Amino acid sequence: MRLCRFRGFVNRDPMVLDTDADVVLLTGPNGFGKTSLIDSLCLLLNGHYYRERHPMVSYVGVANSSGDARVEAVVEYAGSEFGSKVVTVCDNSKGVSDISSADGFCPYGISPELAARCSFYYQDLLSRLFEEEDPQVPRLLEFLRPLPEEVSTVQESLKKARVQWKDFVTRELKKVSDIEGLASESAINEERKRAAIAFRDSWQELANICQTQGGITLPRREGDWLFLIKSDNLRSGWERELRNLAADCLALFLTEKRRPAANEKPSVSLGLIEESLNALRLNVINRTGRVEEKLRSLLEDLPDDTALLPPRAWPIEERYIAVASQEIQELQAQVSVLESLERHFDNPAGPNLQTVLVTLRDKSTEWLKVPDVGADFSPPSPVIEWLRQAASSDLTELADQFEKWLARVAARRLELVQRVSDLQKATRHRKELLEKSRQIYDLLQDPRLKSQFEALAGGGSPLFVSMLKTVLQGTDVPNNLLTAIERVRKAVLQWKEIEDLDERRKVALHQKTIYLKAKGLTESVTQALEQEVGRNSVLNTAILPPDEVIKDLEGIVNHVLKCFRLVDGIWPVRFGVKRERSRKSGSFLGVCAADGRPLSAFSTGQKAQLGLAMLLGFNYCLNSYIGHNIIALDDVTTAFDMAQLPRTAALIRQIAYATDDASARRQVFIVSHHEDLTNRLLDFLIPPQGKKMRILNFVNWTRDKGPQIEQREVVPGLKASAENRKKFVDALDFICSGN
């Protein structure tokens, strides 16, 4: 192998490593580059690298490490042919590695991730071997049950249809839902977002002023509490957040008021916040005790050109408000009657009258063509006679008349709803003006203000807000706290108007039969398409691998696992197809112990044993797909105790040395960080005659040159007596038998 600028190998010139051996043991302290070597093998052989290993190119800050990384190996094919395999890596500005010639040795359709999972063991990435622990790993079931080409074609068509359908639904429903005279949903959302931003900013300012100037602690909220992080788009739970703020305000200022219910509309929450602000303003005004402040607060939210109502006009205004309130009640009663009239021909248990008329129009002629089945099974004659009479009517005219009548009722109801809204808004404005006029005129009679405003109040001419504000400009500076309160109150009122408009729009939409019908139909089709393009689709579920395939895998894994010393109840493990709750995650291969314990109940050492067994089992089962005969074990011995080490070594010997079948042998790379474990492994892994073992001892690492490696070959014990060799074989047999 030749490596340069690949992770820990910061060297500019390629470092040449002799890895021509049945077993290659990598030893040395942490951080010297052993895992980097294994990662380069994984990329070279499988065309895959784990995202935890990024960046793969040597760190830019290291001297002499600029440029692309390069991994090259001389590979033996079919036992006699040799060829060179090269991979280059460049980390781009987006934090992703550009890899050339990283197709690996997997020519038969297996994914690079799955090939790596079946040939490379990483102790720090142990969860990648278990599908139920790491949902990101490639699903083995998807490889064991490859979909027929026809099914794949259908699935691709469904994915395209889903995208086209969503565009079509959005476009067509918008046409249906846009109601004349009311703002569209998108326009309301934009206005709501602007109002929420104004409210958020003014509330934060008010909270700061209250704390520093008024000694009042308002409910605090973070800057993005209503919005998505790093965005001015409202969060999905903004209504709940608004209710929570209203509840906090009530607890502070209006304890006698009830908290907003869990399903309360936003307009109600905003109304409660407005009431709390009014209570706060009165509290601040009463604490100041200055009539100028009281007058200024009353004038704050009135336009300059507003003419105050003089005392002589108050009775007339009261009568107008009373008449308008009575008219609002009468109009609301008419709206209720029209709503009940529209609902009268609905049918919660089935189709409404309009649908019945249309169905009779379209199907009655066909229904009358009854097959000749004899007298015993003929439909009841009264039913056929009634259907014949119904079909003789002009059903097209009836359906059209009924639809026009429904449209006329709906139009009248919408007209009345708009009139009610306009009257309510006008009446509310006149009520507020009347109340403020009374309060202002009362304040102008106060001796502390009378001298300043006597000429204005007693002149007989209309008294405009601008006139009073001009006189107040000569008094003290306005109270910043009251000004901040008014700013928040205006933002609340603006937002409340938007919510009232949205509510009227929703009421109109829910009464619109065409919209409801179209929305219901499109939602059912949308759900079906979403379900069928996911991993848990009907097609995917119907093509799960046969039970015997799962059992074969289970048997091989248990055969390997038996070599370890396990506590009671673990062996033999059982495989089973499981389905995740997440709709799109699909089915996975689950593992449990013989006594039913789930994988989550296994200890770290037991998971390591199971992970190694699964890797070897899958490697031998899928070897023809993987395309190479190399297994790498990075720090596999760390999770094992000393009693397990001989069993692990015996397993490695069987894989690398013992068999006479060349196709069953694997070249094994082993990474060990601990000197005591390394020495014990050497004792057990000394090769027999005709086999080779090499040690790459990482003795140092520098920022300029990377790892310093001593390369040694382990010489077989040629002079060992036949008797001693027999004892060694007997010891290994004893270990492998599970005793």
Side-chain angles (χ1 to χ4, degrees), residues 21-35:
D22 300 283
V23 174
V24 181
L25 179 61
L26 283 64
T27 67
N30 290 323
F32 280 14
K34 300 184 298 300
T35 298

Side-chain angles (χ1 to χ4, degrees), residues 255-310:
T255 55
E256 75 282 358
K257 299 281 290 187
R258 70 171 181 85
R259 292 173 58 93
N263 58 348
E264 205 76 84
K265 296 176 181 177
S267 57
V268 175
S269 301
L270 290 166
L272 296 174
I273 294 174
E274 181 194 3
E275 290 185 45
S276 301
L277 290 169
N278 290 333
L280 174 61
R281 181 170 63 174
L282 290 176
N283 179 285
V284 173
I285 290 174
N286 292 333
R287 288 169 61 180
T288 63
R290 300 187 68 253
V291 290
E292 290 90 350
E293 296 290 1
K294 295 181 180 180
L295 180 58
R296 184 177 284 109
S297 68
L298 290 171
L299 297 173
E300 185 69 33
D301 59 343
L302 290 176
D304 289 349
D305 59 352
T306 302
L308 297 176
L309 296 173

Side-chain angles (χ1 to χ4, degrees), residues 59-119:
Y59 182 61
V60 177
V62 179
N64 301 323
S65 64
S66 61
D68 297 346
R70 181 181 176 89
V71 180
E72 181 179 0
V74 177
V75 183
E76 179 182 346
Y77 295 87
S80 59
E81 299 179 12
F82 293 87
S84 183
K85 175 75 174 176
V86 180
V87 173
T88 58
V89 184
C90 176
D91 289 339
N92 59 37
S93 59
K94 297 180 179 179
V96 180
S97 295
D98 295 325
I99 304 172
S100 65
S101 303
D103 50 356
F105 289 82
C106 309
Y108 302 112
I110 192 173
S111 69
E113 297 91 339
L114 190 54
R117 182 180 163 200
C118 296
S119 56

